[in-house]
Amino acid sequence: MKTAVVTGASSGFGAAIARQLVAQGHTVIGLARRQDKLQALADELGERFVPVSVDLTDRTAVDRALGDILRRFPVIDVLVNNAGLALGVAPAQQAQLADWDTTVATNISALLHMTHALLPGMVQRNQGHIINLGSTAGAYAYAGGNVYGASKAFVHHFSKNLRADLAGTAVRVSTVAPGLCSGTDFSKVRLGSDEKAAALYQNVQALTPDDVAGTIAWIMNAPAHMNVNYIEIMPVAQSFAGLSVHRSA
Ligand code: 8X3
């Protein structure tokens, strides 16, 4: 059985990942800001879920939390860098700079911080797995995707570069890139209201957090010699729009 650190564990993908891994007998150390939600999950999942309330964009707090975690759990087998967000769908020329900063701090800097802290131990033990949450938005550009999509493209390429640096070790790195998924706060945060998020999912069978969590569990439980580099999953209901053409009047 493995010990996994999962960021963004209080809801959505993170909570679904925690539920599936704990059900399989693994131990999950779940990081998130919202103490009440983490505690509710801890009450549900029992002692194999260890809640750690921390703001992932606060470096000092993350370092302190990681120090505590590594004292209690010196061997971390898996890091699931799940925490991430999109703020708005405004075109770049109308976007708020603060939203871009928050997106970069969460989707890129926090992922780097966690990876930088836990990767050396994995290499030293010659055993470990980093699983990064990408997105179809990191593979395909769309209007309003600007910094969110770019941050996920960063995640995709950073994962590949990690694989390059880790050649010759047994440490695995995977990216999971989901498309449209319901049952999380993601669209509420991205679109700014419950109503807009509800409209997006109307009459659409989107992916569920369990679909994503099941994919991650499969990747993590794959034989040690097998590395899933990148996997992209969409609901059947979602597809490609093609390239847009602007015609002058
Ligand atoms: C977001 C995927 O399809 O909602 O990560 O744009 S989608």
Side-chain angles (χ1 to χ4, degrees):
M1 288 302 131
K2 294 179 177 171
T3 300
V5 168
V6 178
T7 66
S10 62
S11 63
F13 296 168
I17 295 162
R19 285 193 180 96
Q20 290 203 20
L21 297 188
V22 166
Q24 292 176 358
H26 303 294
T27 295
V28 172
I29 300 157
L31 276 62
R33 233 181 358 198
R34 292 176 292 183
Q35 165 87 47
D36 52 335
K37 292 216 166 202
L38 274 181
Q39 193 51 52
L41 199 56
D43 293 344
E44 174 191 332
L45 297 180
E47 61 185 17
R48 269 189 284 103
F49 179 78
V50 181
V52 177
S53 171
V54 65
D55 176 354
L56 286 161
T57 64
D58 179 340
R59 284 197 172 205
T60 312
V62 171
D63 280 336
R64 199 178 318 118
L66 283 166
D68 290 345
I69 290 167
L70 289 170
R71 264 187 295 279
R72 283 182 71 188
F73 301 93
V75 176
I76 302 297
D77 302 297
V78 183
L79 167 61
V80 183
N81 278 312
N82 161 68
L85 48 68
L87 291 169
V89 282
Q93 61 274 23
Q94 290 165 18
Q96 301 295 319
L97 188 57
D99 287 347
W100 283 3
D101 287 342
T102 304
T103 305
V104 169
T106 310
N107 298 7
I108 297 180
S109 301
L111 176 146
L112 293 180
H113 192 173
M114 293 298 297
T115 304
H116 190 264
L118 297 181
L119 186 60
M122 292 181 180
V123 173
Q124 205 172 22
R125 291 185 295 276
N126 200 30
Q127 188 266 332
H129 199 160
I130 300 206
I131 303 177
N132 291 327
L133 259 293
S135 167
T136 49
Y140 314 104
Y142 63 85
N146 44 73
V147 169
Y148 172 67
S151 75
K152 291 300 184 178
F154 175 95
V155 171
H156 297 181
H157 207 71
F158 179 61
S159 303
K160 289 183 195 150
N161 280 345
L162 281 177
R163 285 275 289 141
D165 286 350
L166 292 166
T169 78
V171 178
R172 301 188 287 178
V173 184
S174 306
T175 303
V176 178
L180 187 71
C181 188
S182 61
T184 76
D185 291 338
F186 177 84
S187 289
K188 291 180 203 165
V189 174
R190 170 154 72 171
L191 301 174
S193 80
D194 288 356
E195 294 71 33
K196 286 182 183 164
L200 176 65
Y201 296 113
Q202 205 175 12
N203 299 329
V204 174
Q205 177 63 66
L207 294 174
T208 68
D210 269 339
D211 296 329
V212 176
T215 305
I216 286 172
W218 169 70
I219 288 171
M220 183 182 135
N221 293 324
H225 68 271
M226 169 175 155
N227 191 96
V228 176
N229 295 332
Y230 174 85
I231 186 165
E232 183 180 293
I233 46 176
M234 284 181 180
V236 175
Q238 186 178 37
S239 190
F240 312 94
L243 301 178
S244 64
V245 174
H246 179 76
R247 295 175 203 285
S248 51

